[in-house]
Amino acid sequence: MLRILLYIIGIPLLLILLAAILLPLVLDEEQLLALAAERLEQSSGAQLTVHGDSRLSLLPRLALTLDEAELALPGKDQPDITVQRLAVEVRLLPLLSGTVAIKGIELAGLVATVPAQPAQPAVDTSTLSDAELDAFYEARRQAVRDAAANSAGAALGLPLALNVQRLNISDARIVLLQADGGEPRMIELVALTATDMNLAGEPAALNLQLRIPGANPVALSLDLRFSADLDQQRVQLQSLVADIEGATRQPLQLRASGPVDLERQVAELELALESGTMTGAGNLRYASFESPQIDTTLQLSELNPALLVLAGPEAATEAGDVEADGDAPLPLHALRLVDTRAALQVERAVFGLHSIEQLQLKLRVVEGIATLETIRGRLHGGELDASAVLNGQHNTARLETRGELTGADTALLLAALEAQPVLSGSASLDWQLTGSGRSRNELVQGLDGTVELTTGGLALEQVGIERLLCQTVAQINQEPLQTELPTRSEFESLTASITLGQGQALLAPLRAELAHLSLLGEGNFDLASAEFNARLEAQLSPDLASLDPACRVNERLTAIAWPVNCSGSPDTAPAGWCKVDSREIIRELASSELQRKAREEGGKLLQRLLQRDQPATEEDNP
């Protein structure tokens, strides 16, 4: 794109300079144009053909106007350029003294057709083996080193320090032919206006409207105020405002200012972003030949896919929309194209169904490894403090994460998951997990590690565990209940040690304390189906009768373990999740009774035996 613009601007200027050189020799327009074209071909190899009119004026400014002109550049891989109208105007007196003072350049109806370049298939890292991926990273590191070494003395520059008072390009198109003969790609330069262009460090301005048509058209509007110093190889952006539509889901406005070192290809910019409801501000450092290539600190109102543009155009293009299918391959190819370090402060970040408030995020992404050193914020009313590493260097990604979430509101969590509102209270988690896989579902199924769960003020709706046990006790006592017992369970405490592996979460031990009983047992949760089951043993408190007189218990009832079996899924009615195994209780009571009687009978027998074997006393033997 830059090379084509240099052709568009530089070649007309070369024509006007040749015309000025030949002006003292000939004043015939046609002969002058023919000589200028001949000199142009001799000096550059470019062939100029004018199919329309040509006009040359002398005073007070030297102006050359060409209609229906065609320029063929030397070499088969050079673009062909046609223009409906070209007008170049320079001041005559400065020109005669050897100074180029350009009043204006106007181009209308420009078409630049760029031949297809030799096929350079892009490397799709998702098709490489692990060994080939290692070679890919090394080759890219070497390419960056070579580019940095070759950049010295080869910085961007122009052959002439031009003073262009006005540059207007309208209705221009750049046609990029495809090597495979496919549909050409098109770039429409709707309008470009530049004023006071110079390379001496004086202020200049540029306005650009560009459009890329297609199935998802992209439009760019750019307003730039800058100064360029060719001697210092430095550009100072006083103000850059870019409005982009189509590249992201919401239109994006980017504002920037700061210095650009052309020789080192380093830009250090102050940024402001706006896309939809997202706003942000901070700074960004871009360095072509350094790592990280992009280093940014931003304060944002929310996270937004538009931020992918800050990870680089390749990564933004490759990432696209995140696949909703959990079995789809992880977007590791996009991750491998990023070399970024970022420190973000986000008022609100949404990840799927979960929202984190006041998020602090420090991350480093390079060669397929995303290291999230800091993840802090408020998640569902609780405090989150975690870290994670996603290693996507090879085809099977590996995840390592540890952290804690304290005081999360379970009602907010269920609302975010669009699940039934059956829980209230707070929950805290402390975890250390690893996992591996090639898709999101494989990562989840492959999670391995431990999670510690504690709760506070937890209440379970539609599942009255005390009610279930009280009803069973009343049946044993053969008495009817006199009160309506609660259909919810209020836990004084609930804790669980959770071990993850092979797609399952084993809760062992699982402990719970209620006002009139305690529970101890273990459970299992299937990560894929969200189905759970648990086998618990309840120990009844003597004051269970405070719920209802029919629930009174004695030592025999408090001495046994009361089996409580729970199973279900978030899609089933909570009222049917838990049941008391009354048959096992009856067997336990019968066994306890037999043992009691055996002990009583055994005690009586032992007493008689002891009495029989006891030696006679003098009183017994007169």
Side-chain angles (χ1 to χ4, degrees), residues 189-441:
L189 190 60
V190 180
L192 186 151
T193 302
T195 57
D196 301 323
M197 298 284 286
N198 70 92
L199 299 175
E202 298 298 326
L206 184 145
N207 294 92
L208 170 69
Q209 293 183 27
L210 182 145
R211 185 175 181 273
I212 302 176
N216 298 302
V218 176
L220 167 66
S221 176
L222 178 69
D223 185 2
L224 175 63
R225 300 291 183 270
F226 69 101
S227 61
D229 190 327
L230 182 62
D231 293 334
Q232 299 294 324
Q233 290 291 297
R234 186 179 180 89
V235 173
Q236 180 69 37
L237 304 181
Q238 277 85 31
S239 171
L240 181 151
V241 180
D243 292 289
I244 306 170
E245 295 185 7
T248 54
R249 293 180 181 176
Q250 295 283 344
L252 169 67
Q253 183 180 84
L254 171 66
R255 298 185 297 276
S257 62
V260 180
D261 188 318
L262 297 176
E263 184 172 7
R264 296 169 53 222
Q265 297 190 27
V266 173
E268 298 182 348
L269 305 176
E270 296 293 325
L271 290 180
L273 300 166
E274 184 173 340
S275 179
T277 58
M278 182 201 75
T279 59
N283 57 70
L284 179 144
R285 185 178 191 273
Y286 174 85
S288 291
F289 311 125
E290 299 178 14
S291 183
Q293 190 176 64
I294 297 174
D295 196 349
T296 184
T297 300
L298 290 174
Q299 294 81 43
L300 304 165
S301 60
E302 63 183 58
L303 279 183
N304 189 297
L307 293 174
L308 281 172
V309 300
L310 300 182
E314 285 184 323
T317 302
E318 291 290 341
D321 291 335
V322 177
E323 281 279 357
D325 184 5
D327 291 324
L330 293 168
L332 300 180
H333 179 58
L335 189 68
R336 293 163 185 159
L337 299 178
V338 179
D339 186 358
T340 297
R341 179 169 57 201
L344 305 179
Q345 293 185 4
V346 188
E347 293 180 14
R348 182 172 181 266
V350 178
F351 300 94
L353 300 173
H354 306 283
S355 175
I356 302 179
E357 311 293 332
Q358 303 303 318
L359 173 64
Q360 299 178 41
L361 188 65
K362 290 184 179 180
L363 63 90
R364 178 75 170 98
V365 184
V366 61
E367 295 186 351
I369 301 177
T371 302
L372 287 81
E373 177 185 343
T374 300
I375 311 171
R376 294 195 184 101
R378 291 192 59 81
L379 175 61
H380 303 312
E383 295 295 331
L384 173 67
D385 188 354
S387 62
V389 177
L390 177 63
N391 188 333
Q393 274 196 324
H394 295 152
N395 290 310
T396 299
R398 182 170 178 82
L399 173 68
E400 297 181 9
T401 177
R402 63 178 63 196
E404 61 180 7
L405 174 63
T406 58
D409 189 320
T410 57
L412 294 178
L413 173 61
L414 292 178
L417 295 173
E418 300 178 347
Q420 301 181 62
V422 296
L423 278 177
S424 61
S426 66
S428 298
L429 300 170
D430 189 316
W431 69 87
Q432 184 170 340
L433 301 171
T434 62
S436 61
R438 300 194 177 200
S439 67
R440 188 177 70 240
N441 285 346

Side-chain angles (χ1 to χ4, degrees), residues 460-513:
L460 178 60
E461 303 293 337
Q462 305 179 43
V463 182
I465 296 177
E466 290 179 319
R467 172 192 174 98
L468 290 174
L469 288 162
C470 194
Q471 289 174 334
T472 305
V473 172
Q475 292 175 1
I476 293 173
N477 291 333
Q478 298 182 358
E479 296 182 16
L481 292 172
Q482 302 177 20
T483 59
E484 185 66 28
L485 299 178
T487 58
R488 71 195 304 257
S489 299
E490 296 184 358
F491 296 91
E492 295 180 349
S493 68
L494 186 148
T495 63
S497 294
I498 306 171
T499 302
L500 275 71
Q502 299 182 345
Q504 304 292 317
L506 175 63
L507 290 71
L510 174 61
R511 293 187 176 92
E513 295 290 338

Side-chain angles (χ1 to χ4, degrees), residues 2 18 40 302 307 315 403 470 541-542:
L2 177 60
L18 287 171
L40 175 65
E302 63 183 58
L307 293 174
C470 194
S541 170

